[in-house]
Amino acid sequence: MNRMLKPTIISIAMATVMAGAAISPALGLIAAHFPDADPLLIKLVLTVPSLMIIPFSFISSSLTKKISKRSIVLLGLGIYIVGGVGAQFANTIEVLLAFRLVLGAGVGLVMPLSFTLISDHFHGKERTKMMGYNTAFSNLGGIITMLLAGYLAAFNWRVPFNVYWLGLVIFVLVLLYLPKNEPLKTREGEEKAKMPLSVYGMALAACGVMIAYYAIATNMALYLEQSELGSSQTAGIVMSFTTIGGMITSMLLLRLQVFFKKYLMMAAILAMGIAFGVLTVTHSIPVILMSVCVVGFGQGIIFPLINVKVLGNMDPRLSDRVISIVSSMIYIGQFLSPVVLDSIGKAAGYESIRFQYSLLAGALLVSVVVMLLFVLVKKSAPTERGEESV
């Protein structure tokens, strides 16, 4: 049983990664099946789960004071399976979106516990190792499910939703191998710690990065169709390369920190900006694969750095709340990605996906310039404390 605890906990994190982008290769087929639906509603099929993930992640934290984490995970996975698999039986775009909201509720219950269960059962170096495994295998799960969904989409737009049956496998693992625990006791008599304003700034930055990053998942199938470069199966292969980029990052992050030091985040944003610029002009599948891999590589650097930064000098009592704030803003960015980009495209009179990618390229490159100027100005300005810019 002890040997199965690690894969069981890791599998819980894999379920959360599968929530949104897993069925993105079928997005073009869904649009064809619902020709009268607004294109924005079609894209919301991917992003609308995030609307439920945010509130239910806070509900999950509250429930840990009343019932065991194992029970919460089982409840969340049950809701996850119903919302994920049930979507294939929808006859209208509204019903389809409703099932996706149910899926988001299940993910919201499970997601916070995929991290806290590691802290509960592992300590020291073993905990750090498990966090690394968690990230790596989550990315691997994302690759497998996107490739599988791309293959299944060749049959029918409904079939890819069957990838969510993998949630049943995870449910069985949790039922058999995750130990029961007592509900958490509420702490009393503690003074309230003050939340630094910098946390909200970093959370907004995470939201902005997710708006850019998720433009790959929401737009790639349509991008390839508009460019006459491939089918939904091709889109699944292309989008899996963003996850490959994240896996590479998990192995190289420490070395990159040593090399780039405080400029690492700027380098990551610059890489993403250049990659989106290439996607604006290229018509080559190998170049597209390389570009989306670089986008995944960039976000895989940025999000861990943001988490490290907000937790660096944080009161330990605020750690859970800080992660909730940052995670919530990431999911808000996921939801807003098609809303913001489509709205700007319509307002400008350019509704092609290439225009949206060029817009993102420009925004990311401008962000790098602003960050670099800020660092240089702060470095040259006299300071009594002699602190380095971060």
Side-chain angles (χ1 to χ4, degrees):
M1 181 172 291
N2 289 335
R3 286 183 295 180
M4 289 302 297
L5 180 60
K6 290 182 179 181
T8 297
I9 293 177
I10 289 173
S11 70
I12 295 171
M14 291 175 64
T16 65
V17 172
M18 292 161 49
I23 52 92
S24 55
L27 205 60
L29 296 177
I30 294 173
H33 186 79
F34 299 105
D36 297 329
D38 189 299
L40 179 59
L41 291 179
I42 300 298
K43 292 181 182 181
L44 288 181
V45 170
L46 296 186
T47 61
V48 79
S50 59
L51 285 183
M52 299 296 279
I53 291 174
I54 295 168
F56 273 84
S57 66
F58 289 102
I59 291 173
S60 177
S61 299
S62 299
L63 287 175
T64 57
K65 301 174 184 177
K66 301 177 181 179
I67 60 178
S68 70
K69 291 183 179 180
R70 179 174 177 268
S71 298
I72 298 171
V73 172
L74 290 173
L75 174 63
L77 287 172
I79 297 172
Y80 174 94
I81 295 168
V82 171
V85 177
Q88 66 183 297
F89 303 109
N91 291 320
T92 66
I93 190 65
E94 290 79 13
V95 173
L96 177 57
L97 291 173
F99 273 108
R100 299 295 287 172
L101 286 171
V102 172
L103 173 72
V107 174
L109 290 175
V110 170
M111 183 191 66
L113 303 183
S114 66
F115 296 101
T116 59
L117 283 170
I118 292 177
S119 298
D120 292 345
H121 294 283
F122 303 96
H123 305 279
K125 292 183 179 179
E126 194 67 18
R127 178 185 294 176
T128 303
K129 187 186 297 184
M130 277 295 295
M131 288 291 185
Y133 289 161
N134 207 31
T135 301
F137 281 94
S138 294
N139 287 327
L140 179 61
I143 293 173
I144 293 172
T145 52
M146 279 193 285
L147 289 174
L148 180 59
Y151 171 76
L152 294 176
F155 298 95
N156 187 285
W157 73 269
R158 300 179 188 271
V159 181
F161 289 96
N162 285 293
V163 299
Y164 292 108
W165 280 117
L166 293 173
L168 182 59
V169 177
I170 300 170
F171 184 96
V172 173
L173 288 174
V174 172
L175 186 64
L176 295 177
Y177 300 112
L178 187 65
K180 296 180 180 179
N181 67 294
E182 294 296 324
L184 299 175
K185 295 181 179 180
T186 304
R187 296 179 181 179
E188 297 181 358
E190 288 186 338
E191 295 181 1
K192 289 186 177 181
K194 189 177 181 181
M195 182 73 67
L197 291 176
S198 60
V199 170
Y200 299 102
M202 296 303 292
L204 285 173
C207 178
V209 173
M210 180 52 78
I211 287 175
Y213 172 67
Y214 220 66
I216 298 294
T218 56
N219 286 324
M220 185 51 63
L222 300 177
Y223 169 87
L224 293 174
E225 284 187 9
Q226 290 178 0
S227 304
E228 298 181 354
L229 290 174
S231 62
S232 58
Q233 190 170 355
T234 305
I237 296 172
V238 171
M239 283 181 283
S240 69
F241 272 72
T242 60
T243 316
I244 291 173
M247 290 187 66
I248 295 173
T249 297
S250 65
M251 294 184 289
L252 298 179
L253 184 58
L254 291 177
R255 294 183 182 180
L256 291 169
Q257 282 183 311
V258 172
F259 184 79
F260 287 99
K261 297 183 173 61
K262 61 186 177 183
Y263 298 101
L264 179 56
M265 189 173 292
M266 279 183 277
I269 295 174
L270 176 63
M272 289 181 69
I274 293 173
F276 275 113
V278 172
L279 288 174
T280 303
V281 298
T282 187
H283 286 81
S284 167
I285 290 294
V287 175
I288 292 172
L289 291 174
M290 185 178 300
S291 298
V292 298
C293 186
V294 171
V295 171
F297 189 86
Q299 66 83 26
I301 292 172
I302 294 167
F303 289 132
L305 286 183
I306 288 176
N307 286 329
V308 169
K309 200 170 181 63
V310 296
L311 292 174
N313 298 313
M314 186 61 56
D315 188 314
R317 292 174 295 172
L318 292 174
S319 296
D320 291 338
R321 200 188 314 169
V322 165
I323 293 299
S324 296
I325 291 171
V326 174
S327 298
S328 295
M329 291 304 295
I330 288 174
Y331 279 106
I332 288 173
Q334 187 180 105
F335 172 75
L336 289 178
S337 181
V339 177
V340 171
L341 295 176
D342 283 14
S343 297
I344 294 175
K346 289 180 180 178
Y350 298 97
E351 299 186 29
S352 72
I353 304 304
R354 289 182 182 272
F355 172 76
Q356 294 186 16
Y357 286 168
S358 68
L359 186 70
L360 288 172
L364 290 167
L365 295 176
V366 169
S367 298
V368 173
V369 173
V370 172
M371 292 172 66
L372 183 59
L373 289 175
F374 178 79
V375 169
L376 294 176
V377 169
K378 193 173 181 180
K379 185 176 181 180
S380 61
T383 174
E384 294 180 0
R385 293 179 298 175
E387 294 178 346
E388 289 187 359
S389 305
V390 179

